[in-house]
Amino acid sequence: MRLRTPLALLGAALLVLVGPPLLTPGSGAETGTRIPGLRFMVPNTPGGGYDITARTAAKNAEEAGLTGDIEVFNLPGAGGTVGLTRLVGEHGNGRLAMSMGLGVVGAVHTNKTPRTLADTTPIARLTMEQDIVVVSRNSPYRTIQDLLAAWKKDPGKLPVGGGSSPGGPDHLAPMLMAQAAGIAPKSVNYVPFDGGGELLASILGNKVAFGVSGVGEYLDQIKSGQLRLLAVTGAERVPGLDAPTLREAGLDTEFINWRGIVAPPGLTDAERDKLVGLATALHDSPEWKESLKKNGWNDAFLPGDAFGKFLDEQDARVGSVLKELGL
């Protein structure tokens, strides 16, 4: 992806992953992907991107017969760092994994948490997706140009909501938009929510002027007319959605979000390899490929050590971007 601002380096990041799935005994027993008692933590509230991908993955794994039942549970708080702290504290637990993404990377920086993703065992990066700019159906802003014109006049009076804490994707995307529009990032009135589920109610209730979230989180609301889609943040339009890219709207920037899965530290090689193998089998399944298409997610599979290297790079990039933004 081509980002022409220094901040845009961050936009080059991608992905979304879902954790291990649920399933009855079948091919999983034969391929070695079955992990009895596996639990999958979602570090934000129900309805957010991590939650949707985790539960989609669980369903797909169940359909594909990769493993037995997986408990998917939510442990929200502090942009995902509450869940991260819990995960790191489960040293050596090969039956626990956590859905995560760029938002957790940013939250570690802004919350100054002592636990970081370097303390975890990287399992896989699975997907990437564009962010979207949306308003309620009764919003006065009918186009992205309408919104930008009002935003430029008085940035502080137009609160923008996002489903991640400062430093996360839903925060960085509007900051990049603001910079490209000639608006000082520090003047942006950003309102963080703990996941897309909480954000949705505030957009529909016009408590924020507009919202920024992942494309897969609000497809149903866009198609039903509850939300009006103004723009997408990637390099190309999203198939099936009638909305311009930010570049088409005159903003020289673009942004892609990513998500993945990590496990506790201290796993044996066998435990780590089994989790990576399960993620790989999920990635290769026709059920998962159909979910990618349905949710507007792009395949960006990166397993094990390669994902670990990517996490190190993202950590450095997020720190650099936040510093440049003065945030």
Side-chain angles (χ1 to χ4, degrees):
M1 116 188 201
R2 299 178 296 111
L3 287 179
R4 301 185 184 177
T5 67
L7 300 175
L9 277 175
L10 173 58
L14 345 133
L15 179 334
V16 146
L17 171 274
V18 168
L22 298 73
L23 243 194
T24 55
S27 60
E30 300 162 8
T31 61
T33 59
R34 290 181 57 78
I35 305 175
L38 182 62
R39 306 181 75 215
F40 194 51
M41 184 196 307
V42 177
N44 65 4
T45 55
Y50 300 153
D51 187 70
I52 292 172
T53 52
R55 295 179 190 281
T56 299
K59 180 174 182 289
N60 290 166
E62 198 171 49
E63 295 166 343
L66 297 177
T67 189
D69 289 352
I70 296 173
E71 178 190 353
V72 181
F73 68 100
N74 298 77
L75 185 63
T81 57
V82 169
L84 175 62
T85 299
R86 162 74 178 276
L87 187 81
V88 174
E90 294 277 347
H91 188 278
N93 185 352
R95 300 179 187 278
L96 179 65
M98 185 180 83
S99 172
M100 50 72 68
L102 181 57
V104 178
V105 178
V108 167
H109 281 269
T110 56
N111 292 331
K112 297 180 173 58
T113 175
R115 301 300 188 184
T116 73
L117 290 166
D119 297 317
T120 69
T121 299
I123 301 303
R125 186 189 72 181
L126 275 191
T127 65
M128 66 177 181
E129 69 172 338
Q130 298 197 41
D131 264 7
I132 52 176
V133 181
V134 292
V135 296
S136 68
R137 60 185 171 189
N138 57 357
S139 167
Y141 311 117
R142 305 199 63 82
T143 67
I144 186 65
Q145 286 78 15
D146 292 342
L147 174 63
L148 290 173
W151 202 21
K152 289 178 183 179
K153 287 182 180 179
D154 197 341
K157 286 190 176 180
L158 268 71
V160 50
S164 60
S165 60
D170 298 349
H171 171 249
L172 292 169
M175 294 302 166
L176 290 169
M177 287 173 55
Q179 187 190 53
I183 298 170
K186 282 188 174 181
S187 69
V188 174
N189 181 7
Y190 178 74
V191 183
F193 295 86
D194 201 354
E198 289 187 358
L199 170 63
L200 178 61
S202 289
I203 300 174
L204 294 176
N206 293 306
K207 294 181 180 178
V208 293
F210 65 104
V212 176
S213 189
V215 63
E217 296 183 56
Y218 295 155
L219 282 177
D220 290 344
Q221 289 78 13
I222 291 170
K223 291 177 180 178
S224 69
Q226 291 179 286
L227 292 178
R228 182 181 303 144
L229 176 60
L230 300 186
V232 298
T233 66
E236 300 178 350
R237 292 193 177 206
V238 175
L241 296 181
D242 184 19
T245 66
L246 295 179
R247 289 197 187 282
E248 288 177 321
L251 300 180
D252 190 19
T253 191
E254 59 192 51
F255 181 87
I256 298 291
N257 184 24
W258 61 268
R259 297 191 186 103
I261 182 172
V262 294
L267 302 190
T268 64
D269 289 346
E271 289 171 329
R272 173 186 175 277
D273 291 348
K274 198 149 193 176
L275 284 167
V276 172
L278 178 57
T280 302
L282 172 66
H283 165 260
D284 293 340
S285 71
E287 290 83 1
W288 179 248
K289 294 181 187 303
E290 179 60 29
S291 289
L292 292 176
K293 181 179 179 181
K294 178 181 178 181
N295 290 289
W297 298 334
N298 295 316
D299 184 8
F301 187 65
L302 197 64
D305 291 340
F307 181 41
K309 181 179 179 181
F310 174 81
L311 288 177
D312 291 341
E313 294 169 349
Q314 286 298 286
D315 181 67
R317 286 177 177 176
V318 168
S320 175
V321 168
L322 289 173
K323 182 176 181 180
E324 183 179 342
L325 287 170
L327 301 171

